[in-house]
Amino acid sequence: MSDCIFCRIVSGALQAHLVYESPSAVAFLDRFPAAPGHTLVVPRIHAETLNDLPDDAIGDFFREVKVVTRKVTGALHPVAFNIGWNHGADAGQRVFHLHVHVLPRYSPGGRGVQAMGSGGDLGELSEIAAAIRSA
Ligand code: AMP
Ligand code: ZN
């Protein structure tokens, strides 16, 4: 997909600060880092979201996320990471080629991804769990 900026980085058509390459994934520094060493890991094949990545590619891809996390740890010694991805425009996804943010933390006290939610009602848990199970 030539109009996809991450496909262009994967193919070498667009310059990026590459930190790791493998047959299944490429990792490069985020151009607008949220912290030093903020790295994006992308599958070589174009997939807009996790739902679009073939099942047989998922294991290899997430193995590479682990490799990159270990490499960032070795280089920069953060105290922790937030690792994850924005799934869909309303979750903040801006580039529609799946990418996992490997975001190092250098100080304690992170509030976690839960802090991004709007909260919920304890009373609804059974109903919601049943709905998800049967979907
Ligand atoms: P998201 O909001 O999850 O889609 O994140 C997209 C990320 O890609 C943002 O953090 C951007 O800073 C980053 N980004 C956009 N263009 C580039 C680029 N050419 N090279 C590196 N990172 C980029
Ligand atoms: Zn792409």
Side-chain angles (χ1 to χ4, degrees), residues 1 4-8 43-47 96-98:
M1 292 212 24
C4 168
I5 57 170
F6 288 175
C7 279
R8 292 178 64 212
R44 279 190 186 275
I45 58 174
H46 181 85
F96 288 88
H97 179 134
L98 174 64

Side-chain angles (χ1 to χ4, degrees), residues 19-20 27 37 39-41 61-84 100-106:
V19 298
Y20 180 74
T39 301
L40 303 177
V41 189
F61 177 59
F62 277 92
R63 200 168 297 113
E64 303 302 10
V65 173
K66 179 178 174 182
V67 170
V68 170
T69 302
R70 292 172 71 109
K71 286 175 73 66
V72 175
T73 300
L76 300 173
H77 309 292
V79 296
F81 287 88
N82 291 103
I83 300 171
V100 173
H101 293 257
V102 175
L103 179 58
R105 290 195 57 83
Y106 297 95

Side-chain angles (χ1 to χ4, degrees), residues 42-131:
V42 309
R44 279 190 186 275
I45 58 174
H46 181 85
E48 284 198 7
T49 72
L50 183 64
N51 292 350
D52 307 301
L53 190 65
D55 286 353
D56 62 4
I58 287 174
D60 277 347
F61 177 59
F62 277 92
R63 200 168 297 113
E64 303 302 10
V65 173
K66 179 178 174 182
V67 170
V68 170
T69 302
R70 292 172 71 109
K71 286 175 73 66
V72 175
T73 300
L76 300 173
H77 309 292
V79 296
F81 287 88
N82 291 103
I83 300 171
W85 62 99
N86 298 321
H87 184 107
D90 289 325
Q93 186 173 5
R94 297 291 175 261
V95 177
F96 288 88
H97 179 134
L98 174 64
H99 50 283
V100 173
H101 293 257
V102 175
L103 179 58
R105 290 195 57 83
Y106 297 95
S107 56
R111 296 173 62 219
V113 295
Q114 300 91 325
M116 298 175 190
S118 54
D121 183 345
L122 270 184
E124 295 173 342
L125 294 187
S126 307
E127 208 176 307
I128 291 173

